[in-house]
Amino acid sequence: MDPKEFGHYLRTLRKAKRLTIDDLAAELGVSNAYISQIETGKRGIPSPELLKQFHLALDIAYEHLMEKAGYVELSSPPSQDLISLFKDNQTLYYKGIMLTPKQYQLLKDILEEFISSSKETKKENHQKED
């Protein structure tokens, strides 16, 4: 990801958290001009140390930011049944943003409904063939 794309990505994360540039700059201890330069790609990709501060301020996985910034390549995790994520009460992230308990439950409910309706559809289709 080039600096301009990465800056746009950080801007999207900041806005999703409803933070202004001034809010984020104050939290990171840098100037608002510096944040603006990062977001427009004029400052390059931030250092891993600064990404650690972004991770805390934006409540996003540090590993995710490091991967997006191009510092590391994360190997894809082994396949696993989604139910194990819910049974173990693992913290779930979507695009690096941690799901709230309400979002977590909603996702679980949606998956249950999706699988349930898929099974019913298959059963109905199978009965029509007979």
Side-chain angles (χ1 to χ4, degrees):
M1 185 173 283
D2 71 27
K4 192 171 184 175
E5 288 176 295
F6 188 75
H8 179 74
Y9 175 69
L10 286 178
R11 179 184 303 121
T12 302
L13 293 174
R14 174 181 59 77
K15 287 183 175 185
K17 284 300 214 178
R18 299 177 190 251
L19 294 172
T20 65
I21 287 178
D22 290 337
D23 294 336
L24 184 58
E27 199 160 333
L28 299 182
V30 298
S31 71
N32 59 357
Y34 184 64
I35 297 295
S36 178
Q37 290 171 346
I38 289 172
E39 288 186 356
T40 57
K42 295 177 182 168
R43 195 65 188 210
I45 292 179
S47 68
E49 293 78 27
L50 189 55
L51 289 179
K52 193 169 279 192
Q53 292 177 279
F54 274 102
H55 136 75
L56 295 170
L58 299 173
D59 193 26
I60 186 165
Y62 178 65
E63 297 80 9
H64 181 78
L65 281 178
M66 290 291 287
E67 181 182 22
K68 285 284 193 184
Y71 288 112
V72 296
E73 277 191 41
L74 298 179
S75 61
S76 56
S79 296
Q80 67 181 47
D81 192 325
L82 285 174
I83 194 67
S84 66
L85 297 175
F86 295 104
K87 282 184 178 176
D88 299 338
N89 284 326
Q90 293 185 24
T91 302
L92 297 180
Y93 293 86
Y94 179 72
K95 294 185 178 180
I97 299 171
M98 187 170 63
L99 299 184
T100 66
K102 186 175 181 179
Q103 292 167 328
Y104 184 94
Q105 185 60 48
L106 182 60
L107 178 60
K108 185 177 178 183
D109 294 345
I110 289 169
L111 287 170
E112 289 289 338
E113 180 61 30
F114 175 74
I115 296 302
S116 174
S117 67
S118 294
K119 286 179 181 176
E120 289 172 15
T121 303
K122 282 183 181 179
K123 188 176 181 181
E124 288 171 6
N125 288 339
H126 184 67
Q127 288 173 349
K128 286 179 184 177
E129 291 173 2
D130 292 341

